């Protein structure tokens, strides 16, 4: 399937679709177009069986500085920010979380505002030791959006989340793993090597099983224990019908490494 993008660079290496946010002069600040291209990319990734993991990073020095503030300045009176969010960053965040394939975010630099929300919409995060995390919203008098108020307290705890949101505290990449914002911090020059290796590892795992696991994790954010147990049972029925489950058990019996096909 061929799709061209103006704000994203997209390349496929085996089962990994590597996506680079590509507005480097503005630290890859978000526009409606970028959000719509990310949504289209998620739709493509869902349909294309050859894509088994997504890796997202930023071009240049920044990862993503949130809403493009040059666009915000030129808005007409009466402009509805919630309409803008409902058209752009909200469906983008949902498309990423609902995509039944793993998304690894490689944070190469400043990660702010709705760009922070984009990073939190991924499943795993690696950060460069030159990365910088800030919520940014309160810095310009805004409240959080793009799911930041949902994911941040769950990752770092309510007190740290409140501090980051109320004071716009900056978290350097080197500290981000200590507080649970990212899975791993790596020296800047090694970020993409490490992230690509992890993305390939994810792509070689049972893709359907990962997709069902992703559903289970999202469901757990609102479910009771009983509801979650019931839901796990339904998902397990689906996982147990996959060829990868058969292969996993056969490989265990044969004492060999499994060769998962993502089906
Ligand atoms: O209104 C709505 O639609 C509601 C939705 C809101 C969602 C949001 O995301 S609100 C939050 C918006 N983002 C921000 O407030 C962050 C603004 N940027 C910064 O605070 C800083 O740039 C950073 C801390 C991210 C990085 O600082 P630093 O010193 O490393 O870089 P810099 O020099 O400030 O920025 C580099 C360039 O990127 C610079 O361009 P120039 O001067 O070299 O031509 C700067 O203007 C540009 N840039 C950075 N952030 C944005 C941006 N351009 C447009 N929009 C930005 N958000």
């Amino acid at each position: 399937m061929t799709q061209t993008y103006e704000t994203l660079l997209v390349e496929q290496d085996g089962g990994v679709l590597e996506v680079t946010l590509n507005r480097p002069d503005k630290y890859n600040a978000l526009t409606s177009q970028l959000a719509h291209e990310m949504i289209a990319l998620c739709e493509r990734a869902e349909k294309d069986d050859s894509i088994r993991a997504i890796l997202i990073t930023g071009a240049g020095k920044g990862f993503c500085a949130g809403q493009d503030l040059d666009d915000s300045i030129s808005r007409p009176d009466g402009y509805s920010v919630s309409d803008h969010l409902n058209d752009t960053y909200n469906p983008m965040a949902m498309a990423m979380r609902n995509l039944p394939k793993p998304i690894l975010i490689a944070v190469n630099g400043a990660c702010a505002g709705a760009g922070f929300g984009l990073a939190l919409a991924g499943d795993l995060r690696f950060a460069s030791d030159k990365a910088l995390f800030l919520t940014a919203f309160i810095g310009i008098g805004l409240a959080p959006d793009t799911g930041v108020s949902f994911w941040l307290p769950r990752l770092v705890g309510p007190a740290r989340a409140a501090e980051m949101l109320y004071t716009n505290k900056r978290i350097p990449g080197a500290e981000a793993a200590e507080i649970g914002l990212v899975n791993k911090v790596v020296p800047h020059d090694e970020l993409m090597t490490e992230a690509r290796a992890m993305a390939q590892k994810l792509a070689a795992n049972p893709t359907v099983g990962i997709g069902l696991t992703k559903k289970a994790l999202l469901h757990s954010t609102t479910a009771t224990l009983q509801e979650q147990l019931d839901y796990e049972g339904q998902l397990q029925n689906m996982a147990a019908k996959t060829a990868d489950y058969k292969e996993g058990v056969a490989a265990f019996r044969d004492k060999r490494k499994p060769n998962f096909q993502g089906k």
Side-chain angles (χ1 to χ4, degrees), residues 31-37 39 79-93:
T31 58
S32 300
Q33 183 183 13
L34 193 152
H36 288 133
E37 291 190 355
I39 294 164
Y79 182 89
S80 165
V81 176
S82 68
D83 284 353
H84 168 59
L85 294 173
N86 286 331
D87 177 57
T88 55
Y89 312 142
N90 293 347
M92 175 183 77

Side-chain angles (χ1 to χ4, degrees), residues 6 11 50 53 55 74 84 121 155 161 206 208 232 243 248 253 256 259:
E6 288 180 18
E11 270 184 56
S50 73
L55 170 60
S74 55
H84 168 59
L155 285 169
V208 177
E232 284 181 350
R253 286 251 166 257
R256 62 174 169 82
N259 181 14

Side-chain angles (χ1 to χ4, degrees), residues 24-27 29-30 61 64-70 72 75 79 81 84-85 89 110-115 132 134-137 140 142 145-146 170:
D25 294 348
K26 292 189 176 193
Y27 278 18
L30 295 173
K61 275 177 73 181
C64 180
Q67 165 69 33
D68 187 325
L69 296 177
D70 297 327
S72 307
R75 287 170 177 165
Y79 182 89
V81 176
H84 168 59
L85 294 173
Y89 312 142
C111 177
L132 180 70
L134 62 154
T135 59
F137 303 102
I140 54 170
L142 287 181
D145 61 34
T146 317
R170 294 173 173 217

Side-chain angles (χ1 to χ4, degrees), residues 126-228:
F126 281 8
S128 139
D129 57 3
K130 290 192 179 162
L132 180 70
F133 295 86
L134 62 154
T135 59
F137 303 102
I138 210 68
I140 54 170
L142 287 181
D145 61 34
T146 317
V148 171
S149 61
F150 185 87
W151 294 116
L152 191 59
R154 286 170 163 82
L155 285 169
V156 303
R160 277 204 189 95
E163 187 182 11
M164 287 185 73
L165 287 163
Y166 298 172
T167 70
N168 202 14
K169 181 178 182 179
R170 294 173 173 217
I171 306 290
E175 277 176 35
E178 283 167 31
I179 65 166
L181 259 187
V182 304
N183 299 78
K184 189 173 186 180
V185 179
V186 291
H188 187 75
D189 292 345
E190 293 163 28
L191 176 67
M192 291 315 293
T193 306
E194 293 253 357
R196 285 178 183 132
M198 181 58 163
Q200 290 295 346
K201 187 174 174 179
L202 291 167
N205 270 352
T207 310
V208 177
I210 291 184
L212 296 170
T213 305
K214 195 165 164 172
K215 276 180 187 291
L217 291 175
L218 187 57
H219 190 268
S220 76
T221 57
T222 54
T224 63
L225 175 59
Q226 186 60 59
E227 286 164 349
Q228 191 66 12

